[in-house]
């Protein structure tokens, strides 16, 4: 049941998801920049970078591989080989995976250390707790 979620909340969620994909595309640009492959600014080819990251993540999710391991890298290598060459495509795929893992760990540590006090779910939604075995 999602009757308590407003359309404005969904709109903000979609906007934030789009921003998240865009930031992931920027991280791929930063990896390419670190390899000396990309001389343009971060917005020069951001649709390609964002699409490659998004396709890799969605492909890994649909393949049911843990963390999309191998699938994300395959997508990056296949799409980037004609554009950046095979060596830069492989290295950028490996470096992007490393950057993603390190940033996930760092953000998790930060959020664990600065977590807000726990709130009661019933107070925020105004719903009664579900009984064991009841259907939503």
């Amino acid at each position: 049941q999602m009757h308590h979620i407003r359309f404005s909340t969904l709109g903000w969620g979609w906007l934030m998801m789009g921003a998240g994909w865009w930031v992931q595309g920027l991280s791929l640009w930063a990896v390419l920049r670190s390899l000396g492959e990309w001389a343009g600014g971060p917005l020069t080819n951001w649709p390609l970078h964002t699409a490659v990251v998004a396709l890799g993540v969605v492909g890994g999710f649909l393949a049911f591989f843990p963390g999309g391991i191998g699938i994300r890298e395959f997508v990056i290598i296949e799409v980037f080989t004609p554009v950046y060459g095979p060596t830069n495509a492989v290295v950028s795929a490996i470096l992007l995976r490393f950057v993603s893992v390190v940033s996930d760990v760092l953000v998790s540590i930060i959020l664990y250390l600065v977590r807000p006090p726990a709130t009661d779910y019933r107070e925020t939604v105004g719903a009664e707790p579900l009984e064991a075995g009841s259907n939503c």
Side-chain angles (χ1 to χ4, degrees):
Q1 293 179 356
M2 294 179 43
H3 58 80
H4 59 276
I5 297 177
R6 296 184 307 246
F7 285 112
S8 62
T9 304
L10 286 174
W12 277 109
W14 291 333
L15 186 65
M16 293 294 106
M17 285 190 325
W21 287 117
W22 183 69
V23 168
Q24 288 186 35
L26 284 177
S27 69
L28 183 53
W29 168 82
V31 165
L32 291 167
R33 182 88 167 126
S34 73
L35 296 174
E37 184 59 37
W38 194 256
L43 300 179
T44 304
N45 209 9
W46 72 267
L48 173 65
H49 299 153
T50 302
V52 167
V53 171
L55 286 172
V57 170
V58 171
F61 177 77
L62 292 176
F64 293 108
F65 281 35
I69 191 79
I71 304 297
R72 292 183 191 184
E73 292 77 13
F74 174 78
V75 170
I76 292 171
I77 292 168
E78 288 298 312
V79 174
F80 276 6
T81 295
V83 179
Y84 299 112
T87 303
N88 285 328
V90 171
V91 173
S92 66
I94 293 169
L95 279 178
L96 184 65
R97 173 63 73 166
F98 178 75
V99 167
S100 297
V101 169
V102 169
S103 64
D104 287 347
V105 168
L106 290 176
V107 168
S108 296
I109 290 170
I110 291 168
L111 292 176
Y112 180 79
L113 294 174
V114 296
R115 63 183 168 197
T119 58
D120 188 5
Y121 176 74
R122 291 171 290 175
E123 292 175 8
T124 57
V125 177
E128 293 296 320
L130 294 175
E131 294 179 18
S134 66
N135 293 331
C136 291

